[in-house]
Amino acid sequence: LCLAAVPVWIALIVLARRDRARRLDWLWFALGCAVALALEYAPFLALCPDNFLFSQTYHAARASAPFGQWLVLRAGFVCFLAQGYPALIAAAAILAAVAVFRTREAGGAAGPADPSRVLYFAVVVAFVLLTLAHFLVPFPYADYNTPAMPLAAVALAVPLGGLVARANLRPWRVGLVALAASAAFVAASPWPMKWVDGEQHLFWFHSSLDSALARLRRAGRVVREQNPEGKPILAQDAYLAVEAGVPVVHGFEMGPFSIFPELSDEEARARRVHNVATAEAAIREADYDVAALSGYTFLLGCPSTDPLPEADRARLLSAVRERFPDIVCAEPRFGQQNTPLEVRARNE
């Protein structure tokens, strides 16, 4: 929802700098933003307002961390952004160097080439506010800052364009340098190793042609074969249900974040999630023919995302295995973090 603040902020800037010839620009901009927000959020607010607000406050409901852990989480947030966007970090470093070492002969500060400095300032402030919002939440996810990164790209591209223009550099040379730099950033990134599914065992690195996507498709095919009627499956790896083209058992739609031990039975049903008792009842009574158990199954207690007590987890896993004693598919490395997967089904 913090993204909704960006168009509001820019609309205020447009309103502040409007002139007589274009005095209604702010209104059309505001109406466009309102329509976009309505299309995205109005169906949820109309159909399930309480649950929509519950889902939006989920991360804010996590327990506060000790100061040392708080610092480590923020450092991780910054490191992940640096790993994910090295080109932006390099561009920011270049601009900082120009700002520090510039001379009067070099033309002064590296500001935006566009004369509309107010709108440029709005983009920069919007990026900073969004990043701070994600940075200060109880558990900062760098992935959640992705929608703000185009704003950072604009904020850096404008002054870099000004530097290139003032230096009278040929465009093809600039493009060639940018392409070479991009290739170097990709080569230096840790992500290519993950793309080839590489992992280290003791001293040696191993890569496998049996990719994570291939294993997901293989498990999805088994689920479809064992579930020809297309019934829901019991799974907290929701992407497996998506691959198989079937829903999950009611109350497990939030995947590994579906169990809230502190909720009463009534609250859990109203929020369309589970506590331990309602989860066990669903395991034993729901109409489904396939269950998929991975390392994430019944692992987390929400909203704190602390480990579910081992006794409770063992109780839920035991209920699944009692109902489906036979394993029809086993993947030793599956899904997020390559945990073992068991697909269990009725063997009649």
Side-chain angles (χ1 to χ4, degrees):
L1 283 179
C2 63
L3 288 175
V6 174
V8 174
W9 167 253
I10 296 179
L12 290 175
I13 294 294
V14 174
L15 175 61
R17 63 183 300 273
R18 74 186 190 280
D19 52 39
R20 290 186 177 183
R22 307 177 67 178
R23 59 182 179 273
L24 293 180
D25 282 3
W26 69 273
L27 177 61
W28 305 130
F29 182 84
L31 287 175
C33 292
V35 170
L37 290 173
L39 289 174
E40 184 171 2
Y41 295 116
F44 300 102
L45 286 170
L47 296 174
C48 50
D50 292 340
N51 285 353
F52 175 74
L53 295 176
F54 173 73
S55 67
Q56 294 301 315
T57 58
Y58 164 73
H59 287 289
R62 292 188 177 192
S64 59
F67 183 69
Q69 184 180 350
W70 188 94
L71 288 177
V72 169
L73 290 173
R74 271 72 202 163
F77 176 86
V78 173
C79 289
F80 270 93
L81 280 184
Q83 289 180 10
Y85 304 95
L88 296 184
I89 301 300
I94 292 172
L95 290 175
V98 171
V100 171
F101 298 109
R102 69 180 184 274
T103 63
R104 293 181 180 180
E105 291 76 18
D114 193 311
S116 182
R117 293 179 180 271
V118 177
L119 188 57
Y120 176 82
F121 173 74
V123 170
V124 173
V125 172
F127 167 73
V128 171
L129 291 178
L130 277 175
T131 303
L132 281 177
H134 293 139
F135 182 82
L136 295 174
V137 296
F139 196 100
Y141 280 109
D143 292 348
Y144 289 3
N145 213 57
T146 301
M149 299 315 292
L151 297 175
V154 170
L156 294 169
V158 171
L160 279 175
L163 287 177
V164 171
R166 286 192 292 273
N168 293 321
L169 297 176
R170 293 185 179 181
W172 69 268
R173 289 182 177 177
V174 175
L176 188 61
V177 171
L179 184 62
S182 299
F185 290 137
V186 171
S189 170
W191 297 110
M193 178 66 77
K194 297 182 180 181
W195 294 341
V196 298
D197 206 25
E199 64 177 17
Q200 184 174 7
H201 175 65
L202 300 178
F203 183 76
W204 301 274
F205 279 93
H206 300 280
S207 62
S208 171
L209 297 179
D210 187 23
S211 68
L213 180 58
R215 295 192 292 271
L216 172 62
R217 289 175 173 171
R218 187 161 57 239
R221 183 168 59 251
V222 172
V223 170
R224 288 192 296 272
E225 291 171 352
Q226 297 293 326
N227 187 29
E229 298 180 17
K231 293 181 180 180
I233 66 171
L234 180 72
Q236 287 192 273
D237 297 272
Y239 45 85
L240 175 57
V242 172
E243 174 64 26
V246 295
V248 296
V249 171
H250 181 69
F252 289 101
E253 289 85 356
M254 287 182 65
F257 309 106
S258 296
I259 298 182
F260 290 71
E262 302 301 322
L263 293 183
S264 67
D265 292 0
E266 293 74 18
E267 288 175 319
R269 281 190 286 267
R271 302 302 185 197
R272 299 174 183 264
V273 292
H274 286 293
N275 58 28
V276 176
T278 61
E280 184 176 15
I283 291 168
R284 297 187 183 280
E285 301 169 7
D287 182 20
Y288 64 98
D289 294 333
V290 175
L293 306 179
S294 76
Y296 280 89
T297 304
F298 312 136
L299 178 67
L300 304 176
C302 297
S304 66
T305 64
D306 291 329
L308 198 67
E310 191 58 37
D312 290 335
R313 189 181 189 217
R315 169 181 159 193
L316 296 177
L317 290 173
S318 176
V320 176
R321 288 165 179 158
E322 286 175 12
R323 182 166 178 175
F324 300 111
D326 298 318
I327 299 174
V328 296
C329 174
E331 292 286 351
R333 297 167 60 244
F334 176 82
Q336 190 170 6
Q337 303 302 325
N338 288 324
T339 66
L341 174 76
E342 298 175 357
V343 178
R344 294 172 172 264
R346 295 184 188 276
N347 190 9
E348 297 177 350

